[in-house]
Every structure is written in C-alpha cells, then in structure tokens.
Amino acid sequence: MAKNIFTKGQHVSLQSRVGLSPRTPTEFTVLLRLPDNGGKPQYRIRNEDQGHERVEQGSNLELIEAVKST
C-alpha cells in the first residue's frame, strides 16, 4: 500500500512550507482525495478557522496525532 494515504476528516499539517506566505495556516482537515498526479496521491485540504483551501500532494502532508485522554 502507498505511503501518505489519508482519509476524509483527518487532521494534517504541511511538512514543507517553502515558498508559502507566513499567513498560510498550519493545520488542515482532509476534505477528499483527488486523482493521483503522476502516480502520487493528492488531496484537497481546508483550514476551518480561515476557510483556506488548497491542494497538496500526500508526500507533503503529515498526520497530526489526536491527543489521547488518560
């Protein structure tokens, strides 16, 4: 199975922010998986606080682990 596969609703952050505005949000929610681009998975992601949406390759996304309550 390919690495960097995410599902709708997961919270992710960008691994690389090179070339992005400092105002670009840091945390996003996966909205949907798009068709692969050159064999690489890509996703539409959204920051709910700012309503900022973008498309990113799975290789640039990192899962934000949910905080587990004890």
Side-chain angles (χ1 to χ4, degrees):
M1 178 179 241
K3 187 178 178 185
N4 304 111
I5 302 297
F6 301 99
T7 58
K8 180 179 178 179
Q10 285 185 310
H11 298 281
V12 295
S13 63
L14 301 177
Q15 289 185 357
S16 172
R17 297 182 57 81
V18 174
L20 296 179
S21 165
R23 290 187 263 168
T24 301
T26 57
E27 296 184 12
F28 296 85
T29 301
V30 175
L31 297 179
L32 63 120
R33 182 172 174 179
L34 300 170
D36 287 0
N37 181 11
K40 299 176 183 175
Q42 57 182 5
Y43 299 87
R44 175 162 295 281
I45 57 177
R46 177 180 175 88
N47 176 274
E48 296 300 327
D49 295 334
Q50 296 182 12
H52 181 93
E53 286 191 18
R54 62 185 300 114
V55 173
E56 281 290 336
Q57 287 191 356
S59 60
N60 193 38
L61 299 177
E62 182 174 36
L63 183 64
I64 298 173
E65 295 294 329
V67 177
K68 296 178 182 176
S69 58
T70 54

